[in-house]
Amino acid sequence: MFTSKSARAAHPKRTRAAAITAGAAISALLLSGCVQSQREEDGGAGANGDVDSTFVFAASSDPASLDPAFASDGESFRVSRQIFEGLVGVEPGTADPAPLLAESWETSEDGLSYTFALKEGVTFHDGTDFNAEAVCFNFDRWYNFTGLAQAPSVSYYYNNLFRGFADSPDAAVYESCEVNGDLEATVTLAKPFAGFIPALSLPAFAMQSPTALQEFNADEIGGSSEAPQLSEYAQGHPVGTGPFKFDSWNVGEDLTVSAYEEYWGEQGDVQQVIFRIISDPQARTQALQAGTIDGFDLVSPADIPTLEEEGFMIVPRDPFTILYLGINHKVEELSDPLVREAIHHAIDKQALIDQTLPAGTQLATQFIPEVVDGYNEDVTTYEYDPDRARELLAEAGYPDGFELQFNYPTDVSRPYMPTPEQVFTNISAQLGEVGITVTPAPDVWTPDYLDRIQGTENHGIHLLGWTGDYNDTDNFIGVFFGQEKPEFGFDNPELFGALSEARGMTDREEQTALYEDINEQIAQFNPAIPLAHPAPSLAFVERVESYPASPVNDEVFNLIELSE
Amino acid sequence: MLRVIGKRLALLIPTLFGLSVLLFLWVRSLPGGPATALLGERATPEAVARVNELYGFDEPILLQYFTYMGKLLQGDFGTSIITGRPVLEEFATRFPATIELSIVALIFAIGVGIPLGYMAARHYGRFVDHGSVVLSLIGITIPVFFLAFILKYLFAIQWPILPPDGRQNPRIDATHVTDFYVLDGILTGEYDAAWDAFLHLILPGLALGTIPLAIIVRITRASVLEVQNADYVRTARAKGLMEKTIRGRFILRNAMLPVVTTIGLQTGLLISGAVLTETVFAFNGIGSFLRDAIFELDYPVLQGFIIFIAILYALINLIVDVSYTIIDPRVRVQ
């Protein structure tokens, strides 16, 4: 087939081709400098003419879904918040609910019916009107999910907060929605749910265009029962009322949204947002330094001083997090309240914060941050006092201390725990001071660590925490201490009962009082040790004048101010 | 020859079958499962159980295997648990990036490696020779991710002459036809987009190409050294053949056999290097996707990927064998 002649002839060509390639690579290296600077010059005819209105933000992953009702991860919600709005939003800079698409609401006396007065003149990106029909369409849609859409991994927040669907009405919190007029709708609940209004500020309950949901088969999510697949809607046709409309999604690469011209509110400096997907945290920092992105979230505390020195703007969020030292009550020593108290006294939280956590971190005395309802100013605290700790240990029958397994995750960074290894080292040393020797038990975060802590009894003390979803006390302490769990391994019916009662209360004031009381109960029982409320930070290039940082990540990019 | 190729392809079937069994057992013997990755840190044991039931992970492993293979034989690689998109579709969107990157790395490795190795052998014991030996030693010993990191730091951050990450400047509004960005730019006439995509390939391409480059230099050098002292070369010289002919037809061509083998093997290995390189350069190809799949134990993606790579590897080996017969007609593919 091939003659030896042709093979022979091919050879000198190959050397020549190699030389050409090498030459091209070198000239590319030289030329690229010019091209780069050229690009910088022509980037940016903005909305008001003097700023580059394209804003590039690094996301750590693709959104899991463009349909927020079927999402629960931060990156999906970040994108959702640009495209969608809910009936309820949050007061800027806080976690408190505030009117958004609903201008106001009234609650019936039994606390079961909520009548929403809707904002006028709002349209969806497909040109259809936002009205009471659309509100009820969305509520009914969630309630009537069937099959795979009901899976907790798919409609996570609806499952967690509204508990049941149309085919299981006994468990359901939602009952019905009624259109009272073009701009008024009444939602009726089957059982009291004090967190109803704040919950509606979650992107999972944002208002979506009924027309688009139907046209692009938003509820058709499963090709097979083995693995749910995104609907056509969730892959590329999200339609909301927000300041930005969806443009394109290059999976693995970037996602683009651009200003919606008919938006009812202020449009701002940013006309186009590109979410670039950069999964490696180090690569995100470097992209900022190299100027290929305008900002990113969850800056590693270790990088903050350098970035600040280089002139980048660091924006800390108000802490809406809790980092705690978990205690497994199934371990004999740890089931003794005196030992738990001793451990609490042995830990110098302020030193821990100064040495391992980012600036802006607040010391924790309880398991909810200060801005959450039910925060108790007068809660019992345990000052750092190693002598007292040693006394308590002796009293508990361990004058020489004891050995203890200490579980911590490796190679992971969470908003509430940027550097677990450092926290582990710090606390280990402190416990060593009072005679408690720890055996390190590191695991990779997922699935090993989480499985071991949450699914087995095989752990001692451990590091874990939480970032709140919205302003709801139950979303913190209810999640931790609402029922018996392998993580803590204690049974405290009194506490479980109080938390369950508080969750069902309709009167916010009564509920707040009860939560304050529960926080005191927890402080006395010492089921685990609250350490800190770390403040997650964002970093931006110099041209970003201000960024609407929110403790619950409710950050809409039309509020970003740019200088150039 | 065609029959031989056919036979080799047929042999792939039992190989892949054996591999799939091993792989299936191995992936599932990893501790934990994808459920916690999917449900997050507050997953209740009941929710984990529900997810495992939903995906069939609670069924006997043999049953899981046959279900999987049944679908695989129909060309269905399953759906990624993490992204919810079909595995094949995920591969299809990400492979072009990795192939593009691998091509640049290979061109660099071959284009620089063979001439350098040849020169080293020609100037045996002289400066060029020592220099190339030291360089290739460094190339082999430096870990890929470290080199990638250094290259990026120097040429994208310290002296920003090349882009530090990604496949293309997101501000460029490029049309994508084939998902090979350079090719796309040329096809659509958007030459600035093609150029931009090319610039994005240089640093990761250099990082990824360095190990194969170093190996190719060494093999070429050794092989040329051996061949240039062979009897038939001496005979050819004695007969008074032109030096150019001797070098081209006798030395280089005969010396190429082991080099071609090496290139083939290195091509297969590029994919594993890509996992690290792509992560450092935020280059969204199959490598960075695989990294995430490993972290989140995305079974269908891991399984599909390894089977895919096995097929690729087998095909590359076949190509290497066939190219032997072209370079040296004495060698027959059997």
Side-chain angles (χ1 to χ4, degrees):
Chain A
M1 193 159 51
F2 299 95
T3 65
S4 58
K5 201 175 165 194
S6 68
R8 214 179 301 154
H11 162 65
K13 267 189 208 150
R14 204 156 38 188
T15 353
R16 222 175 294 145
I20 293 168
T21 321
I26 292 164
S27 46
L29 276 164
L30 296 174
L31 279 171
S32 57
C34 322
V35 172
Q36 184 98 6
S37 56
Q38 218 171 38
R39 203 166 43 205
E40 275 157 18
E41 278 157 28
D42 52 40
N48 32 15
D50 54 353
V51 299
D52 173 3
S53 61
T54 298
F55 188 78
V56 186
F57 191 89
S60 63
S61 70
D62 279 300
S65 163
L66 295 177
D67 179 349
F70 291 147
S72 58
D73 62 301
E75 295 301 352
S76 293
F77 281 178
R78 199 195 304 279
V79 173
S80 295
R81 282 186 165 110
Q82 318 307 324
I83 302 172
F84 298 102
E85 292 168 320
L87 290 179
V88 178
V90 295
E91 204 69 62
T94 75
D96 300 330
L100 190 58
L101 288 181
E103 293 203 305
S104 64
W105 49 86
E106 270 171 38
T107 316
S108 67
E109 267 181 33
D110 59 2
L112 291 177
S113 289
Y114 293 79
T115 302
F116 295 95
L118 308 178
K119 195 180 278 295
E120 213 185 322
V122 177
T123 54
F124 286 109
H125 303 156
D126 58 3
T128 55
D129 285 332
F130 166 74
N131 52 28
E133 300 261 352
V135 172
C136 287
F137 185 93
N138 277 281
F139 273 94
D140 287 334
R141 173 187 178 225
W142 305 324
Y143 185 53
N144 287 296
F145 281 153
T146 51
L148 279 174
Q150 288 189 3
S153 55
V154 179
S155 51
Y156 175 84
Y157 278 107
Y158 195 82
N159 262 285
N160 266 13
L161 299 169
F162 290 90
R163 316 244 153 176
F165 298 89
D167 53 10
S168 52
D170 289 348
V173 170
Y174 172 82
E175 192 174 284
S176 64
C177 178
E178 203 180 319
V179 177
N180 307 335
D182 206 25
L183 294 174
E184 195 182 282
T186 302
V187 176
T188 306
L189 303 181
K191 28 187 95 142
F193 174 23
F196 177 62
I197 291 293
L200 291 184
S201 68
L202 276 170
F205 306 118
M207 292 294 124
Q208 312 196 37
S209 158
T211 323
L213 286 170
Q214 286 168 306
E215 187 182 348
F216 299 105
N217 309 316
D219 295 344
E220 281 177 27
I221 53 161
S224 69
S225 65
E226 191 205 4
Q229 276 179 26
L230 295 179
S231 71
E232 192 190 349
Y233 177 86
Q235 290 191 58
H237 302 280
V239 178
T241 63
F244 298 97
K245 62 180 177 12
F246 174 80
D247 278 347
S248 63
W249 182 12
N250 244 330
V251 175
E253 194 89 356
D254 51 44
L255 187 150
T256 309
V257 298
S258 62
Y260 171 49
E261 280 161 17
E262 311 293 316
Y263 183 57
W264 59 270
E266 290 273 316
Q267 200 47 272
D269 287 345
V270 176
Q271 296 292 304
Q272 186 186 39
V273 184
I274 299 170
F275 292 97
R276 275 215 49 206
I277 292 124
I278 305 181
S279 56
D280 184 48
Q282 187 80 44
R284 286 196 290 275
T285 309
Q286 291 183 327
L288 186 79
Q289 289 172 318
T292 55
I293 57 168
D294 289 309
F296 71 101
D297 199 352
L298 295 185
V299 185
S300 153
D303 290 338
I304 289 178
T306 323
L307 288 175
E308 270 181 332
E309 221 167 85
E310 291 170 359
F312 296 101
M313 178 170 74
I314 304 291
V315 179
R317 291 197 179 89
D318 271 347
F320 203 64
T321 52
I322 172 77
L323 167 67
Y324 62 78
L325 180 70
I327 292 178
N328 180 6
H329 296 230
K330 287 274 192 279
V331 175
E332 197 199 326
E333 293 92 341
L334 298 175
S335 64
D336 187 336
L338 290 176
V339 172
R340 298 204 296 271
E341 200 181 328
I343 294 177
H344 211 149
H345 277 300
I347 295 174
D348 186 348
K349 296 179 190 172
Q350 196 55 54
L352 176 79
I353 291 168
D354 294 344
Q355 289 159 19
T356 70
L357 294 165
T361 298
Q362 285 164 15
L363 192 145
T365 58
Q366 47 206 300
F367 290 86
I368 55 173
E370 215 173 330
V371 292
V372 173
D373 272 347
Y375 186 85
N376 188 337
E377 299 282 349
D378 309 311
V379 80
T380 303
T381 54
Y382 303 84
E383 299 306 315
Y384 170 58
D385 188 347
D387 292 331
R388 178 81 189 119
R390 278 183 283 260
E391 263 173 53
L392 284 163
L393 283 177
E395 205 179 310
Y398 307 102
D400 304 320
F402 56 90
E403 255 186 58
L404 186 58
Q405 190 184 126
F406 191 162
N407 301 79
Y408 65 99
T410 55
D411 200 21
V412 69
S413 176
R414 310 299 296 168
Y416 52 82
M417 182 170 59
T419 51
E421 291 94 340
Q422 285 182 24
V423 176
F424 159 78
T425 314
N426 199 291
I427 294 181
S428 298
Q430 296 187 6
L431 291 177
E433 289 283 307
V434 301
I436 300 176
T437 323
V438 307
T439 326
D443 273 311
V444 290
W445 175 248
T446 164
D448 305 16
Y449 186 71
L450 291 175
D451 275 358
R452 188 207 280 245
I453 300 300
Q454 285 162 359
T456 74
E457 284 182 6
N458 178 19
H459 49 96
I461 50 174
H462 64 269
L463 295 176
L464 211 56
W466 184 242
T467 303
D469 295 312
Y470 60 103
N471 193 347
D472 180 30
T473 332
D474 187 53
N475 188 244
F476 285 87
I477 51 180
V479 184
F480 308 146
F481 309 125
Q483 70 264 327
E484 192 174 353
K485 290 165 65 178
E487 181 179 356
F488 301 108
F490 67 83
D491 184 21
N492 185 337
E494 203 186 331
L495 180 62
F496 299 161
L499 278 165
S500 151
E501 187 193 340
R503 187 185 310 131
M505 283 180 129
T506 50
D507 187 316
R508 193 92 173 160
E509 266 174 46
E510 274 176 42
Q511 193 192 35
T512 305
L514 181 55
Y515 273 130
E516 282 174 7
D517 187 51
I518 290 173
N519 277 324
E520 176 57 26
Q521 265 190 56
I522 293 174
Q524 288 182 18
F525 179 62
N526 244 331
I529 295 165
L531 297 171
H533 305 294
S537 302
L538 301 116
F540 295 98
V541 293
E542 254 175 287
R543 76 185 186 102
V544 177
E545 290 280 289
S546 80
Y547 178 84
S550 150
V552 284
N553 297 357
D554 190 42
E555 292 150 8
V556 190
F557 289 6
N558 64 331
L559 299 179
I560 292 175
E561 285 169 27
L562 301 172
S563 64
E564 48 185 279
Chain B
M1 174 98 109
L2 280 178
R3 241 184 63 211
V4 174
I5 294 176
K7 227 161 101 186
R8 284 281 293 268
L9 287 176
L11 260 176
L12 245 179
I13 295 167
T15 313
L16 287 176
F17 177 75
L19 180 82
S20 72
V21 175
L22 283 176
L23 163 71
F24 206 82
L25 291 174
W26 169 69
V27 168
R28 265 144 228 262
S29 68
L30 298 172
T36 25
L38 196 64
L39 292 175
E41 47 227 76
R42 287 291 157 197
T44 59
E46 302 88 69
V48 171
R50 272 198 301 263
V51 167
N52 284 334
E53 195 192 321
L54 186 72
Y55 290 94
F57 298 146
D58 56 343
E59 280 165 10
I61 192 155
L62 210 63
L63 188 64
Q64 289 188 47
Y65 177 74
F66 284 117
T67 315
Y68 181 76
M69 285 311 282
K71 288 194 173 162
L72 193 67
L73 290 177
Q74 296 164 35
D76 181 0
F77 276 69
T79 303
S80 161
I81 293 170
I82 306 301
T83 66
R85 274 179 288 270
V87 171
L88 218 51
E89 201 183 298
E90 292 280 10
F91 286 174
T93 53
R94 289 164 212 263
F95 247 111
T98 305
I99 292 174
E100 210 170 41
L101 180 59
S102 302
I103 290 173
V104 170
L106 267 185
I107 290 176
F108 167 65
I110 297 172
V112 179
I114 292 180
L116 199 62
Y118 181 71
M119 299 245 292
R122 294 292 306 163
H123 304 278
Y124 178 71
R126 307 246 290 275
F127 176 74
V128 187
D129 184 29
H130 293 311
S132 74
V133 170
V134 170
L135 270 180
S136 69
L137 204 66
I138 294 173
I140 291 170
T141 37
I142 290 186
V144 182
F145 75 91
F146 184 70
L147 183 71
F149 201 83
I150 295 290
L151 282 175
K152 180 178 173 182
Y153 182 75
L154 289 180
F155 298 107
I157 293 166
Q158 195 68 19
W159 304 293
I161 51 172
L162 282 168
D165 45 43
R167 294 185 65 192
Q168 195 150 54
N169 185 340
R171 287 161 191 266
I172 290 182
D173 194 15
T175 325
H176 296 306
V177 196
T178 60
D179 274 334
F180 292 93
Y181 283 9
V182 176
L183 188 65
D184 283 353
I186 294 167
L187 287 179
T188 56
E190 295 164 349
Y191 297 115
D192 56 334
W195 179 244
D196 180 70
F198 173 68
L199 293 179
H200 279 81
L201 284 166
I202 296 175
L203 286 181
L206 288 182
L208 189 58
T210 301
I211 289 184
L213 165 78
I215 292 171
I216 288 171
V217 168
R218 289 171 70 93
I219 302 289
T220 310
R221 175 180 172 275
S223 183
V224 170
L225 275 180
E226 195 187 310
V227 172
Q228 72 185 1
N229 296 324
D231 290 345
Y232 58 85
V233 173
R234 213 166 344 131
T235 313
R237 278 222 173 85
K239 279 185 168 179
L241 254 75
M242 276 182 11
E243 187 63 18
K244 214 173 131 190
T245 316
I246 294 173
R247 281 186 202 168
R249 196 189 297 180
F250 289 77
I251 301 179
L252 199 59
R253 210 171 121 217
N254 284 303
M256 274 306 107
L257 274 177
V259 178
V260 168
T261 317
T262 310
I263 292 172
L265 291 173
Q266 292 300 316
T267 307
L269 285 175
L270 279 180
I271 302 286
S272 61
V275 173
L276 300 165
T277 313
E278 289 183 4
T279 302
V280 173
F281 289 99
F283 195 90
N284 293 300
I286 204 77
S288 52
F289 184 55
L290 185 65
R291 168 187 180 266
D292 295 345
I294 292 170
F295 274 119
E296 317 220 312
L297 277 189
D298 197 335
Y299 291 159
V301 171
L302 289 176
Q303 283 159 193
F305 180 81
I306 297 171
I307 288 180
F308 209 93
I309 292 301
I311 296 174
L312 199 70
Y313 220 97
L315 289 179
I316 289 171
N317 266 321
L318 186 59
I319 293 170
V320 168
D321 288 352
V322 170
S323 59
Y324 271 12
T325 60
I326 299 164
I327 298 172
D328 186 347
R330 288 172 307 172
V331 179
R332 290 231 161 74
V333 182
Q334 282 171 350

